[in-house]
Amino acid sequence: MKIKKAFLGAVVILMSLSSVQANPFKINEAEYQSMIEKTIVSTGTNARMKKVLAKARQGEKLRIAAIGGSVTEGAGPADFKDGYAYQFFRTFKAKYAAGDGSNLSFNNAGLSGTGSLVGIVRYEQDVVKVCGGNPDLLIIEFAVNDNGDVLCQRTFEAIIRKAMLANPDCAVIAMYAVASYGNTAGQKKPVADHYVLPQINMMPVVNGAIEKKTFTKEQYFTDYAHPTFEGHQFMSDCLMALVDKMDKAAKDSEQHVPASCFKEPSLYGLKRILPSDTDANVKIERGDFTETDRKTQSLKKTNSGDFPENWKKKLNAKAENKPYKMELTCKSLIMIYKVQASGDAEKFGKAEVYVDGRKVATWDGGKNGGWNNCEPSIVIDERTAAKHTIMVKMAPGSEKLGFTIVAMGYSI
């Protein structure tokens, strides 16, 4: 009997040890835990998170998702699945899920080089549709890709508002990653505070640790922005500490979505336009933009293009230069185009954009440094909906070159 008890005790100890990750920088544990605590900007309101945790423990179906840029997608480690979002999901499942955790699903909708202006266009297609429904827990990370202007505040807010209204139980966490050039946590915090969101900010703690030589820049970063495996683990540990803190606290009152927006709401409720859709509000004449581009920006998780439906202008089109024309009623219109990979055999050129006959932009689809990445542009931005005519045509000198409109979204 004593041998059996001793054996069972050893098994319990081993199981406990296996569920605990050693701190990645091999520093004093108390100091590491202190750094984690300092990344927690706010625990926000915990009512929605407590519902998420209850579902996880009771074996109910739970959808977890993350949307952001390359840090969220998993850039940095040799294996992108060692990114912070994947590490967080694995650790969350091991700690909180019932049984084998099969009731939990995870969708990483991170896409390299993109900010919240692209994110709000992608949200319905790449988060909700891939999840098979609105997420129950959503992590939003755009702090190193957004430029901090008012437009990015508005698109950041539009994603938050969409997630929280579409699912009244959805818990949203704002994650502010850090790059060598800083982040836009200062601009995002007032928006997140308006919705009483839990928030993590990596920048002051990481910069402080590097300055004090607690760990080196090379231990945290692989380059100017992307964390090492250890850096991603630190981010995951910070998220887990935040969730654990909310779990242990007394339950707050219900978290309601504010009736008013932090900024004006014209970007809320954005609807994606797809070539295959039949939308009575949108009338399109493709002109020379009749082909489909098979080389749009790829997702790491699928190794395939994230914009399989698009509008590509055929190369060497005739001299008429037939424009892409669209009529729709909207308040806002975001259009995204592709910047062709440098050195690609197909040469892309410049396109001019007109709204109601007025030239509003010139896009360069062949500028240096391209990697099939997408570039967003807000073409219409008004407070009330009106009928508009949009035209995209190749600029003088680019008539025979290529160009791709990869995605669009509008609000009414």
Side-chain angles (χ1 to χ4, degrees), residues 86-384:
Y86 290 101
Q87 289 198 48
F88 168 74
F89 175 69
R90 293 193 292 266
T91 311
F92 181 96
K93 183 168 69 170
K95 183 168 184 177
Y96 297 114
D100 63 359
S102 57
N103 58 308
L104 273 61
S105 63
F106 177 61
N107 170 27
N108 188 340
L111 182 64
S112 294
T114 62
S116 56
L117 189 58
V118 175
I120 190 58
V121 176
R122 296 178 58 234
Y123 186 81
E124 195 69 30
Q125 193 80 5
D126 287 5
V127 176
V128 178
K129 187 175 180 180
V130 174
C131 280
N134 293 294
D136 301 289
L137 173 57
L138 177 69
I139 300 166
I140 305 175
E141 177 276 313
F142 285 115
V144 296
N145 285 29
D146 280 347
N147 61 17
D149 63 11
V150 172
L151 179 57
C152 288
Q153 280 187 317
R154 290 168 58 204
T155 49
F156 176 62
E157 179 178 23
I159 296 172
I160 294 169
R161 198 169 185 86
K162 189 173 182 69
M164 294 182 72
L165 286 173
N167 178 359
D169 292 335
C170 178
V172 178
I173 297 175
M175 165 59 83
Y176 311 134
V178 59
S180 59
Y181 50 80
N183 71 14
T184 57
Q187 291 78 19
K188 286 182 165 50
K189 184 178 182 298
V191 180
D193 286 345
H194 184 71
Y195 292 86
V196 202
L197 297 187
Q199 302 164 61
I200 294 283
N201 187 4
M202 303 303 299
M203 186 171 75
V205 175
V206 170
N207 286 349
I210 292 171
E211 186 177 343
K212 291 193 305 181
K213 299 183 179 178
T214 305
F215 54 75
T216 66
K217 185 177 180 180
E218 290 72 25
Q219 282 179 289
Y220 188 85
F221 290 110
T222 60
D223 52 23
Y224 60 93
H226 304 114
T228 57
F229 175 93
E230 291 79 12
H232 277 285
Q233 185 185 321
F234 185 29
M235 293 179 71
S236 171
D237 289 348
C238 294
L239 281 168
M240 284 299 299
L242 172 66
V243 173
D244 189 52
K245 197 169 186 177
M246 297 170 77
D247 182 35
K248 290 176 180 176
K251 184 181 178 181
D252 296 326
S253 57
E254 291 298 314
Q255 185 179 13
H256 299 293
V257 179
S260 61
C261 292
F262 180 76
K263 294 292 181 183
E264 54 88 16
S266 64
L267 290 172
Y268 171 69
L270 208 75
K271 183 177 180 181
R272 179 88 167 257
I273 301 171
L274 293 165
S276 60
D277 281 352
T278 303
D279 187 335
N281 184 44
V282 182
K283 296 179 180 178
I284 293 173
E285 294 178 22
R286 300 188 66 146
D288 287 332
F289 293 74
T290 56
E291 299 183 348
T292 300
D293 196 328
R294 304 299 180 189
K295 294 181 181 179
T296 58
Q297 190 174 343
S298 293
L299 286 164
K300 291 182 185 293
K301 66 181 181 182
T302 62
N303 197 30
S304 61
D306 189 48
F307 305 97
E309 294 189 57
N310 52 70
W311 299 265
K312 181 184 178 184
K313 179 197 162 287
K314 56 187 177 182
L315 294 171
N316 301 315
K318 293 181 180 179
E320 298 94 86
N321 190 16
K322 295 178 184 177
Y324 177 97
K325 292 181 181 178
M326 178 168 61
E327 289 184 0
L328 78 163
T329 298
C330 67
K331 287 188 293 188
S332 301
L333 174 65
I334 299 170
M335 300 181 75
I336 304 170
Y337 66 95
K338 173 182 141 177
V339 180
Q340 179 75 317
S342 297
D344 196 285
E346 291 186 331
K347 300 303 178 186
F348 273 38
K350 295 180 179 180
E352 297 175 336
V353 186
Y354 294 81
V355 175
D356 301 327
R358 181 174 64 90
K359 183 178 173 181
V360 297
T362 299
W363 297 334
D364 189 354
K367 62 184 175 183
N368 290 333
W371 42 281
N372 294 333
N373 54 301
C374 53
E375 290 277 355
S377 178
I378 187 157
V379 175
I380 297 171
D381 189 13
E382 299 172 350
R383 298 203 172 197
T384 56

Side-chain angles (χ1 to χ4, degrees), residues 62-101:
L62 191 70
R63 300 182 180 99
I64 299 175
I67 186 168
S70 54
V71 177
T72 292
E73 191 172 19
D79 185 346
F80 70 91
K81 289 187 178 180
D82 285 328
Y84 84 88
Y86 290 101
Q87 289 198 48
F88 168 74
F89 175 69
R90 293 193 292 266
T91 311
F92 181 96
K93 183 168 69 170
K95 183 168 184 177
Y96 297 114
D100 63 359

